């Protein structure tokens, strides 16, 4: 079965540094998502993306966050100036246009901000 | 999305059927019942969804009551690898990139 691929699997950074988390969604999918999960907490929606623009974003997704689809295959999440509280597992997801709400998730990037 | 209520945790012996309940008493007519699961720290995984009729696939069966106010996800022969958090979500098919919201789910522990 096709997979959503995320890199790196682990990222350690210093507070205040910029990080870019990368995702390769499934090739014929058109809707893209980022979620995060702080250890021991719920999976939280961050942002969704379609047709090269943000469709919906949560309160968490403030000016420090941005998303981009720089080419036909990658989907990235950038955090400009990381904070300690950004430490979490970040999941990318994608799905086909229309039809069901069947999201395919990647295996995640564990971000640790020191 | 309609609110769903699930037990916090459940246990199941390996090889037995795991029956995970979900209440969604305020579900509207066009909202589907979706089930996902999250195996320890991995990304959530879609399992199954249904509207009115019972559904079965290679992973599980979904039984929805006639009044649609509750449903049960059945894993017919649970294995240790089915230990996970299971999420029940009531959701209409939006045809857009709107968010899918995960609650706290049911933590299923499959034991020997």
């Amino acid at each position: 079965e096709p997979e959503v691929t995320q890199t790196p699997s682990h990222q350690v950074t210093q507070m205040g540094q910029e990080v870019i988390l990368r995702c390769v969604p499934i090739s014929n999918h058109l809707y893209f998502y980022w979620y995060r999960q702080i250890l021991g907490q719920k999976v939280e929606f961050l942002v969704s993306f379609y047709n090269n623009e943000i469709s919906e974003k949560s309160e968490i997704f403030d000016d420090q966050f941005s998303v981009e689809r720089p080419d036909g295959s990658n989907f990235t999440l950038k955090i400009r100036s990381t904070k300690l509280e950004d430490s979490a597992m970040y999941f990318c997801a994608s799905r086909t246009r229309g039809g069901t709400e069947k999201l395919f998730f990647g295996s995640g990037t564990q971000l640790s901000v020191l | 999305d309609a609110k769903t209520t699930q037990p916090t945790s459940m246990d199941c012996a390996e090889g037995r059927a795991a029956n995970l309940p979900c209440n969604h008493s305020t579900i509207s007519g066009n909202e589907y019942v979706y089930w996902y699961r999250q195996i320890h720290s991995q990304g959530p995984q879609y399992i199954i969804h249904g509207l009115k009729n019972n559904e079965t696939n290679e992973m599980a069966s979904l039984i929805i009551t006639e009044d649609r106010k509750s449903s049960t996800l059945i894993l017919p022969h649970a294995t240790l690898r089915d230990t996970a958090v299971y999420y029940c979500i009531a959701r209409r098919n939006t045809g857009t990139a709107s968010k899918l919201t995960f609650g706290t789910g049911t933590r299923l522990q499959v034991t020997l």
Side-chain angles (χ1 to χ4, degrees):
Chain A
E1 188 169 66
E3 289 184 343
V4 174
T5 306
Q6 290 188 242
T7 55
S9 56
H10 292 85
Q11 173 97 44
V12 180
T13 189
Q14 296 289 326
M15 191 168 56
Q17 295 295 304
E18 174 184 286
V19 293
I20 297 176
L21 309 183
R22 302 180 192 279
C23 170
V24 179
I26 294 171
S27 62
N28 64 340
H29 286 187
L30 296 177
Y31 296 148
F32 312 112
Y33 305 78
W34 284 101
Y35 284 78
R36 79 172 187 190
Q37 186 174 34
I38 295 170
L39 186 64
Q41 298 187 22
K42 292 193 284 190
V43 176
E44 299 176 290
F45 169 80
L46 290 178
V47 66
S48 60
F49 191 87
Y50 168 68
N51 201 26
N52 280 322
E53 58 184 34
I54 290 173
S55 297
E56 189 171 357
K57 60 183 181 179
S58 71
E59 294 170 353
I60 304 166
F61 194 88
D62 62 21
D63 293 344
Q64 293 300 312
F65 291 86
S66 62
V67 288
E68 194 177 36
R69 188 155 163 82
D71 53 41
S73 59
N74 291 286
F75 181 50
T76 61
L77 175 70
K78 183 194 291 187
I79 310 175
R80 281 191 192 80
S81 177
T82 50
K83 307 185 194 91
L84 296 176
E85 54 265 36
D86 293 327
S87 294
M89 182 73 92
Y90 287 80
F91 296 110
C92 173
S94 68
R95 72 172 181 89
T96 56
R97 179 179 174 179
T100 71
E101 305 287 320
K102 181 178 176 181
L103 271 63
F104 291 78
F105 283 80
S107 53
T109 294
Q110 178 64 56
L111 176 65
S112 298
V113 182
L114 306 178
Chain B
D1 299 348
K3 180 176 160 57
T4 61
T5 305
Q6 300 177 250
T8 304
S9 63
M10 295 182 65
D11 291 332
C12 178
E14 190 176 34
R16 305 296 292 268
N19 297 286
L20 292 95
C22 179
N23 282 316
H24 31 79
S25 57
T26 61
I27 196 168
S28 58
N30 62 352
E31 286 183 313
Y32 289 73
V33 179
Y34 281 82
W35 284 85
Y36 282 77
R37 73 179 181 183
Q38 186 178 25
I39 296 170
H40 180 62
S41 295
Q42 295 180 21
Q45 177 190 25
Y46 166 86
I47 301 172
I48 199 167
H49 75 283
L51 184 64
K52 289 191 249 193
N53 299 321
N54 299 336
E55 301 287 344
T56 295
N57 63 19
E58 66 280 2
M59 290 182 71
S61 294
L62 174 60
I63 309 297
I64 302 174
T65 57
E66 195 168 335
D67 64 9
R68 300 209 327 120
K69 292 186 177 182
S70 65
S71 59
T72 301
L73 179 75
I74 300 172
L75 308 178
H77 305 286
T79 71
L80 296 177
R81 287 176 294 182
D82 293 320
T83 293
V85 178
Y86 287 78
Y87 301 99
C88 169
I89 302 168
R91 173 87 171 156
R92 65 185 178 90
N93 289 343
T94 65
T96 68
S98 62
K99 67 182 177 185
L100 190 66
T101 301
F102 292 86
T104 52
T106 295
R107 183 172 298 277
L108 175 69
Q109 180 69 52
V110 181
T111 56
L112 289 170

